[in-house]
């Protein structure tokens, strides 16, 4: 009864007089600003640890002198996004001067410094602990979980019960009509995003939702080589450093599970001879993932041939290990200079050069955060149909159809996926009904892990919290629906907030995905060991030839050096092509799976 009285009549951060003790944790109000850490004392007292934040005061809200100076000159994220995505003539000049490297260094350091290193929290420890640091079986977390003893699921704001995730998905995320990405992002990009991120987003469901099986926590190419030594050995040829493969119609493809005895995720009716064996067990799901797995397999074996010719005395193990380091370097360069470049829309030409950070305080270690995993569920990219060389496939005859790769070949898939536009990620109402279960599961998982509200993450990454649902989205229907279901903008959950935020002008998603996601991405890429002064040298990559493979890597080279005829390949549709996803491309074939 006393606890009930406290919940009804408690004023912010006050409790009814002794001898009745209030059971509400004052940290449920998230009182500490500017990265301050809330520590509870007694029943109803708290203290904000403002150490190293540049602020002081009870709630870390009073800026120190140099913080005031920095804030006075610091532009808002919206301002520098505006500048970076306009004035192309000016950026064409800057990109050919020393200012490019200076700006790139600033981008890398400012972004990476937003991610705590070493890691701080995990889903079992909402406070600093040795376990949260040392146990790499956990995803890390930027913000601690919402305390378990709060009056509402999101702290103190909002309703006593959160809305049904299925209702959220159907009302706000389900596609009514395909909305193409205004920037021209294509399916080549969409499948790359899936393929690339599945090396470090591998939730270990059997242990718990806060655990990961990707213990490398970054770009280790576990999706190519497997996430265990046993998996890797099953895929290796143990000759000249190469991976196992099969020849079909004169071209290299991944082996089947008959030749590489590993467990791959396929429906029971798919025979073993149609089950490709790859580093990631779920890549049989989509032909686009099979395509990338095939390209990287060919690239690994191609690099091994180059190394073998350069170093005839090297044994299989050294050839394999060095080729893997080269492919890691290629991946990072492609991600920064092709993938992130397209994603950002910046006219500043991004550059992968680890030497930019030499001499700067920087930790070459990374931990994948659960918030990053949730943020990267970009399933609105997927269209309603898939167009390949004049044929159209729906989801039923596209999923788990390995024959598509063999029937059309890598060149045809690359060309087709590069010319089909992907969907807009942000803004809502653009997710195909076949994959609507994904956001439902993400929201359910976020509740199990007690992720803090969306606005708390905006504040953590230097963004102003939204004051209303109307400010979050331009869609009046979505705003009214969110108000009805959540009751308070400060109770809005992390993933719905990211997906429903109004997209930036001519952008694929809103400000929050950019400002929260890019620090995770750049820290993970540049925090890789190969970017450190100890690794970034020719000898690591087998000499100048191997080092040059890394330094000159690009998406186009990756594809065109591993196919017979170079197709159109990019992360955006051809500039003159229509952006209508439903452009007729032929009849829908009947296919037996």
């Amino acid at each position: 009864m006393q606890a009930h009285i406290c919940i009804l009549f408690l004023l912010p951060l006050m409790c009814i007089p002794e001898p009745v003790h209030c059971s509400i944790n004052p940290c449920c109000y998230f009182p500490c600003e500017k990265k301050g850490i809330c520590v509870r004392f007694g029943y109803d007292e708290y203290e904000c640890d403002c150490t190293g934040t540049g602020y002081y005061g009870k709630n870390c809200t009073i800026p120190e002198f140099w913080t005031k100076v920095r804030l006075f000159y610091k532009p808002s994220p919206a301002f520098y996004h505006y500048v970076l995505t306009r004035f192309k003539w000016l950026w064409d000049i800057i990109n050919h001067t020393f200012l490019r490297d200076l700006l790139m260094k600033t981008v890398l350091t400012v972004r990476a410094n937003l991610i705590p290193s070493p890691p701080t929290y995990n889903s079992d420890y909402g406070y600093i602990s040795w376990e949260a640091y040392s146990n790499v079986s956990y995803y890390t977390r930027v913000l601690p979980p919402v305390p378990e003893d709060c009056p509402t699921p999101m702290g103190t704001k909002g309703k006593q019960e959160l809305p049904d995730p299925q209702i959220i998905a159907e009302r706000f995320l389900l596609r009514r009509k395909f909305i193409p990405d205004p920037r021209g992002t294509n399916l080549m990009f969409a499948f790359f995003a899936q393929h690339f991120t599945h090396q470090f987003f591998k939730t270990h469901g059997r242990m718990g939702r806060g655990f990961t099986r990707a213990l490398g926590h970054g770009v280790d190419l576990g999706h190519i080589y497997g996430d265990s030594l046993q998996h890797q050995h099953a895929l290796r040829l143990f000759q000249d450093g190469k991976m196992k493969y099969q020849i079909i119609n004169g071209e290299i493809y991944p082996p089947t599970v008959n030749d590489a005895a590993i467990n791959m995720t396929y429906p029971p009716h798919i025979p073993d001879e149609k089950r490709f064996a790859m580093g990631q067990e779920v890549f049989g799901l989509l032909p686009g993932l099979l395509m990338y797995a095939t390209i990287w397999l060919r690239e690994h074996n191609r690099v091994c041939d180059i190394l073998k010719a350069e170093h005839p005395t090297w044994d299989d193990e050294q050839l394999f290990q060095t080729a893997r380091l080269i492919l890691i370097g290629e991946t990072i360069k492609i991600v920064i200079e092709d993938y992130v470049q397209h994603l950002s829309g910046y006219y500043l030409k991004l550059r992968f050069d680890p030497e930019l950070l030499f001499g700067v305080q920087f930790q070459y270690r990374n931990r994948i955060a659960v918030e990053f995993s949730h943020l990267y569920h970009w399933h609105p990219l997927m269209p309603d149909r898939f167009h390949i060389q004049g044929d159209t496939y729906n989801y039923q005859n596209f999923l788990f159809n390995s024959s598509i790769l063999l029937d059309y070949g890598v060149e045809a898939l690359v060309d087709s996926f590069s010319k089909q536009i992907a969907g807009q990620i942000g803004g809502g109402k653009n997710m195909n009904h076949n994959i609507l279960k994904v956001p439902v599961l993400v929201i359910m998982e976020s509740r199990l892990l007690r992720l803090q509200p969306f606005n708390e993450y905006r504040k953590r990454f230097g963004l102003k919290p939204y004051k209303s649902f109307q400010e979050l989205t331009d869609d009046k229907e979505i705003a009214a629906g969110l108000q009805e279901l959540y009751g308070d903008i400060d109770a809005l959950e992390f993933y719905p907030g990211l997906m429903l935020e109004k997209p930036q002008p001519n952008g694929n998603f809103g400000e929050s995905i950019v400002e929260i996601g890019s620090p995770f991405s750049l820290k993970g890429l540049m925090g890789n060991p190969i970017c450190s002064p100890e690794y970034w040298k020719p000898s690591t990559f087998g000499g100048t030839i191997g080092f040059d493979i890394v330094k000159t890597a690009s998406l186009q080279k990756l594809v065109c050096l591993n196919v017979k005829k170079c197709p159109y390949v990019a992360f955006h549709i051809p500039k003159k092509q229509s952006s209508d996803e439903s452009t007729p491309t032929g009849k829908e074939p009947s296919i037996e799976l």
Side-chain angles (χ1 to χ4, degrees), residues 47-120:
E47 181 178 292
C48 291
D49 186 347
C50 308
T51 305
T53 64
Y55 293 81
Y56 64 97
K58 182 174 178 60
N59 293 333
C60 307
T61 55
I62 306 173
E64 298 171 355
F65 174 75
W66 288 112
T67 302
K68 289 182 180 179
V69 173
R70 178 176 57 83
L71 291 174
F72 181 80
Y73 289 104
K74 181 182 178 182
S76 68
F79 174 80
Y80 64 69
H81 181 82
Y82 179 88
V83 172
L84 286 166
T85 55
R86 287 164 176 81
F87 315 111
K88 184 177 183 299
W89 63 269
L90 176 62
W91 289 108
D92 286 343
I93 297 173
I94 292 174
N95 287 331
H96 291 89
T97 70
F98 72 94
L99 292 174
R100 176 196 177 193
D101 284 353
L102 181 63
L103 290 170
M104 190 67 202
K105 181 177 180 178
T106 301
V107 169
L108 291 173
T109 52
V110 170
R111 295 291 198 189
N113 286 339
L114 288 169
I115 305 301
S117 186
T120 48

Side-chain angles (χ1 to χ4, degrees), residues 194-207:
Q194 286 181 296
H195 192 270
F196 169 70
T197 59
H198 273 70
Q199 65 187 297
F200 44 77
F201 295 151
K202 298 191 71 173
T203 299
H204 202 330
R206 278 180 285 181
M207 288 187 66

Side-chain angles (χ1 to χ4, degrees), residues 282-301:
V282 302
F283 278 177
L285 174 67
L286 294 166
L289 302 179
L290 290 172
M291 174 196 69
Y292 272 114
T294 302
I295 292 171
W296 282 112
L297 167 65
R298 294 178 183 181
E299 176 67 2
H300 175 92
N301 288 353

Side-chain angles (χ1 to χ4, degrees), residues 332-592:
I332 296 174
K333 187 171 189 297
I334 290 169
V335 169
I336 290 178
E337 295 192 7
D338 288 320
Y339 179 88
V340 176
Q341 182 75 65
H342 168 74
L343 197 62
S344 68
Y346 293 167
Y347 287 128
L348 169 64
K349 193 173 182 181
L350 304 182
R351 181 183 175 198
F352 172 51
D353 182 2
E355 294 183 23
L356 293 174
L357 295 178
F358 290 1
V360 175
Q361 185 178 6
F362 194 80
Q363 294 198 27
Y364 293 97
R365 189 182 181 188
N366 188 58
R367 286 282 293 277
I368 298 297
V370 71
E371 296 99 335
F372 190 35
S373 175
H374 283 208
L375 175 146
Y376 230 117
H377 283 80
W378 294 349
H379 291 75
L381 286 169
M382 288 292 102
D384 294 325
R385 295 165 298 279
F386 302 87
H387 308 311
I388 306 172
Q389 299 291 289
D391 295 323
T392 299
Y393 292 82
N394 59 28
Y395 279 79
Q396 285 65 43
N397 55 38
F398 190 74
L399 301 182
F400 291 111
N401 191 346
S402 59
S403 296
I404 289 177
L405 175 65
L406 302 179
D407 291 343
Y408 293 96
V410 170
E411 294 98 323
L413 293 190
V414 169
D415 188 73
S416 297
F417 294 150
S418 294
K419 292 177 179 177
Q420 183 174 356
I421 198 165
Q424 186 177 61
I425 296 171
K429 298 180 181 178
N430 201 27
M431 195 173 295
N432 182 275
H433 68 91
N434 286 287
I435 47 180
L436 199 63
K437 63 182 180 181
V438 175
V440 173
L441 293 174
V442 173
I443 294 170
M444 291 172 63
E445 180 176 277
S446 73
R447 295 175 183 181
L448 288 173
L449 300 178
R450 306 197 314 282
L451 261 62
Q452 289 193 24
F454 176 60
N455 262 344
E456 294 303 313
Y457 280 98
R458 282 186 58 85
K459 290 190 286 185
R460 170 59 178 77
F461 284 87
L463 302 171
K464 291 183 179 179
Y466 286 115
K467 296 179 180 179
S468 67
F469 291 108
Q470 290 75 21
E471 188 181 5
L472 169 78
T473 174
D474 290 332
D475 190 311
K476 294 181 179 180
E477 180 184 345
I478 290 179
L482 291 174
Q483 181 67 50
E484 172 196 343
L485 294 176
Y486 284 99
D488 194 307
I489 185 64
D490 287 330
L492 179 63
E493 296 172 274
F494 181 60
Y495 183 71
L498 292 169
M499 300 306 293
L500 299 176
E501 183 180 33
K502 58 182 176 291
Q504 293 175 312
N506 197 39
N508 202 328
F509 36 57
E511 175 187 58
S512 298
I513 287 183
V514 175
E515 299 301 321
I516 298 174
S518 60
F520 285 119
S521 178
L522 293 175
K523 175 63 175 69
L525 294 167
M526 301 306 296
N528 193 284
I530 73 158
C531 299
S532 69
E534 295 298 322
Y535 280 61
W536 189 251
K537 55 189 68 174
S539 56
T540 299
F541 306 97
T544 302
I545 289 181
F547 208 18
D548 284 345
I549 292 174
V550 173
K551 288 183 173 182
T552 62
S554 68
L555 176 68
Q556 186 176 48
K557 287 186 67 174
L558 173 66
V559 171
C560 294
L561 289 174
N562 291 291
V563 295
K564 293 178 179 179
K565 183 179 179 181
C566 188
Y568 171 72
V569 52
F571 284 141
H572 54 80
I573 61 173
K575 297 299 183 182
K576 295 181 180 180
Q577 180 180 315
S578 168
S579 63
D580 182 8
E581 184 272 334
S582 61
T583 301
T585 56
K587 65 180 181 179
E588 191 166 298
S590 176
I591 293 180
E592 296 291 335

